[in-house]
Amino acid sequence: MNIMITGGAGFIGNHVVRLFVNKYPQHRIVCADKLTYAGNLANLADVEHRENYCFEHVDICDFDSIVALMRKHNIDGIIHLAAESHVDRSIKDPFTFAQTNVMGTLSLLQAANMCWQGNYEGKRFYHISTDEVYGALQMDNPQGGNEPGGGPWGTAFFTEQTPYHPHSPYSAAKASSDHFVRAFHDTYGMPTLISNCSNNYGPYQFPEKLIPLFINNIRHRRPLPVYGKGENVRDWLFVEDHARAIDLIFHEGRVGDTYNIGGFNEWKNIDLIKVLIRTVDRLLGRADGEDDNLITFVTDRAGHDMRYAIDSRKLKTELGWQPSLQFEEGIERTVKWYLENQAWMDNITSGEYMKYYQEMYANR
Ligand code: NAD
Ligand code: DAU
C-alpha cells in the first residue's frame, strides 16, 4: 500500500510513522504535515533516510495540493492525525481549530473521494479522534476506591455508544470531523474507520501538554501550574500502545466502525504530578519531596472536563489489543527520555526549531 499519514511530524504521528516504516518495508509511507508549531521533523530524524519513507510539506486544508499529492503517490490508505490538539489554545483561538480539524478533515475526505472515484477496493480512510468528543464523566467516588465494574473515581466509562457531548472548541471541532467521516461512509460508501483515544504520554510530546511541561519545569525548578484543585481525572496511555492499536485497526478493523482506545489507567492530576516530581527528583539524585513546593494552584481551565475514562473492551475482544506497559514503567521511560533529550526540549523552548523551518520553506 501507499499510505499517507497526516500529522506525522507531531507527537503521536511520529510514533505511528516509525512503527509503519519499520514494520512494513513493503508499504510506502508518506508523512504529510504542515509543520505548525506542533510539528517537528527532528521527531522523525531516525527514519528520514529510509527507502519506504518520504515527507511532504502540505496543509490538509489546501484541497488542490492534497489531490495532487494523492495522485503523485497513488495513495490508497490514509491515517489522519493532523489536527490542532491543545485545549487551552482552542479556548483562545477557536477559528484555527474549526479550520484545521473540521475543514482540513473535509478537504482530505473529498480529495480521497475524488481520487478513488468510487473504487474503494483495498482503500482505507482512518480518522484518529479523541475521547473528549464524549464530554465529561462524573466523579461518583471523589475519595477513590474501586467499585465493581467501575474505575477508581467513578462507575461510568465512555463506550462507543456514548452520545457526543463536547465542551471545548477543540473537542467540538473533533466531534464535527468525526461526523463528517461517518457521513462519507454512509453517503458515498467510503471505507472509513474511526478511533477515539484517551490521553497519550511518552517521548516527543510538545511541552505545552501536562507531562512534558511539568517534567521540564521540575528539572529547572520552575512553578508547576496546576489548574483548579488538581482533582480532574485523565486516563493515560503510553503513546507506543496507541500506535500499535492504530496499526491493528488500520489493517483489521471493521470498515465503518468505531473503536475506543484507553488504558484503564485513571489518575487525578495532582497524584500524577506527585509521581512526576518523585521520579524526576530520584533520577536527578535529588532528595525525595525536595520539589513538592513547586506545585502552584492556578485559575482553572474554562469548561475544564472533570473526568475521562475509556472502555476499550471492544478493541480487546474483537481485535485482541491491550496496553502492553504498566503505568509505572511507562512514566519511568518517559521521564528518562525527557531528561536524556534536553537538547530536543531546548530546541523547542528556544523557538530554534521553528526558525529552521521558516528558512527551509521560505521560498517555496
Ligand atoms: P500534535 O499537536 O502533537 O501534532 C499535530 C500535527 O499535525 C503536527 O505535526 C502539525 O504540524 C500537524 N498539523 C496541524 N495542522 C495541520 C494542517 N493544517 N495540515 C497538515 N498538518 C497539520 O498532536 P497529537 O497529540 O500528536 O495528536 C494527533 C491526533 O491524535 C490529533 O488528531 C488528536 O486530536 C488525536 N488525539 C490526541 C491525543 C493525545 O493525548 N495527544 C489523544 C487522543 C487523540
Ligand atoms: O483525552 C485526550 C486528549 O488529551 C487529546 O484529545 C488532546 O489532544 C490532548 O491534549 C489531551 O487533552 P488534555 O486537555 O486532557 O491534556 P493536557 O495535557 O492539556 O492536560 C491534562 C490535564 O492537566 C487536564 O486536566 C488539564 C491539566 N493541566 C494541564 C496543563 C497544560 C494543568 O493542570 N496544568 C497545565 O499547565
Side-chain angles (χ1 to χ4, degrees):
M1 290 183 87
N2 297 314
I3 302 169
M4 176 163 79
I5 301 180
T6 72
F11 165 48
I12 302 172
N14 82 79
H15 292 276
V16 178
V17 167
R18 182 173 300 102
L19 177 68
F20 273 65
V21 167
N22 287 328
K23 187 170 171 188
Y24 301 109
Q26 74 279 22
H27 290 341
R28 180 156 183 78
I29 309 302
V30 179
C31 171
D33 202 298
K34 182 183 175 185
L35 298 178
T36 65
Y37 80 93
N40 187 351
L41 286 178
N43 299 352
L44 290 163
D46 56 328
V47 295
E48 69 185 4
H49 298 301
R50 300 289 289 276
E51 272 184 20
N52 64 336
Y53 169 80
C54 76
F55 177 75
E56 294 279 3
H57 186 227
V58 68
D59 183 343
I60 54 165
C61 302
D62 179 351
F63 176 74
D64 292 341
S65 296
I66 292 292
V67 169
L69 199 151
M70 284 192 67
R71 291 194 169 135
K72 174 178 164 194
H73 294 285
N74 198 17
I75 295 294
D76 38 27
I78 297 174
I79 304 179
H80 174 37
L81 295 113
E84 289 292 336
S85 70
H86 191 40
V87 174
D88 292 333
R89 286 181 190 256
S90 82
I91 295 167
K92 294 199 182 98
D93 175 22
F95 280 120
T96 305
F97 282 69
Q99 177 66 14
T100 298
N101 299 1
V102 186
M103 294 306 288
T105 302
L106 180 56
S107 151
L108 277 178
L109 285 162
Q110 185 63 359
N113 217 11
M114 209 166 124
C115 293
W116 294 342
Q117 296 185 331
N119 176 10
Y120 293 131
E121 187 67 32
K123 307 290 196 293
R124 276 274 193 286
F125 188 108
Y126 179 10
H127 175 61
I128 308 302
S129 192
T130 170
D131 59 358
E132 299 200 13
V133 298
Y134 297 123
L137 294 164
Q138 294 300 315
M139 294 277 278
D140 314 319
N141 200 2
Q143 301 313 314
N146 267 311
E147 297 292 321
W153 307 111
T155 46
F157 289 92
F158 296 135
T159 73
E160 289 82 1
Q161 280 72 47
T162 303
Y164 277 28
H165 196 159
H167 294 132
S168 72
Y170 162 67
S171 54
K174 289 296 289 187
S176 172
S177 64
D178 292 10
H179 290 318
F180 269 109
V181 174
R182 290 199 182 93
F184 269 63
H185 173 266
D186 296 351
T187 306
Y188 307 107
M190 186 179 283
T192 60
L193 292 151
I194 300 179
S195 56
N196 298 81
C197 190
S198 62
N199 286 62
N200 284 216
Y201 71 98
Y204 299 110
Q205 186 167 31
F206 194 83
E208 63 188 349
K209 307 283 167 62
L210 179 77
I211 290 186
L213 175 71
F214 279 34
I215 293 172
N216 198 39
N217 282 11
I218 298 163
R219 181 190 190 127
H220 295 291
R221 296 211 153 110
R222 295 188 193 121
L224 307 176
V226 181
Y227 298 162
K229 295 181 183 155
E231 296 280 309
N232 305 65
V233 171
R234 296 291 182 267
D235 172 2
W236 293 94
L237 179 69
F238 191 63
V239 62
E240 289 177 12
D241 277 331
H242 188 190
R244 277 195 311 109
I246 290 173
D247 176 22
L248 197 61
I249 293 167
F250 181 73
H251 286 100
E252 294 177 30
R254 204 177 317 119
V255 159
D257 232 344
T258 294
Y259 297 87
N260 278 357
I261 312 173
F264 284 111
N265 179 39
E266 291 177 55
W267 284 80
K268 269 191 185 178
N269 290 342
I270 192 68
D271 296 334
L272 171 64
I273 290 159
K274 287 178 183 163
V275 170
L276 292 177
I277 297 174
R278 268 207 311 280
T279 312
V280 174
D281 281 351
R282 177 170 47 75
L283 290 171
L284 291 179
R286 297 178 185 167
D288 195 28
E290 205 177 318
D291 288 320
D292 287 354
N293 63 349
L294 296 176
I295 291 176
T296 310
F297 293 99
V298 299
T299 309
D300 208 353
R301 173 185 278 174
H304 197 170
D305 285 338
M306 196 62 216
R307 170 176 171 251
Y308 303 145
I310 275 274
D311 180 346
S312 56
R313 281 177 302 172
K314 174 178 172 182
L315 186 56
K316 183 176 181 188
T317 315
E318 294 190 9
L319 300 184
W321 176 91
Q322 59 184 355
S324 69
L325 270 195
Q326 292 296 318
F327 188 61
E328 290 67 23
E329 192 187 341
I331 278 292
E332 181 85 9
R333 270 177 65 177
T334 301
V335 172
K336 267 192 184 142
W337 189 88
Y338 285 101
L339 295 181
E340 285 166 5
N341 288 276
Q342 191 62 41
W344 177 90
M345 180 66 83
D346 291 344
N347 205 27
I348 293 176
T349 51
S350 67
E352 276 306 310
Y353 78 114
M354 286 299 278
K355 284 185 208 151
Y356 173 72
Y357 298 136
Q358 278 152 12
E359 281 161 26
M360 189 167 162
Y361 294 109
N363 301 314
R364 301 176 89 203

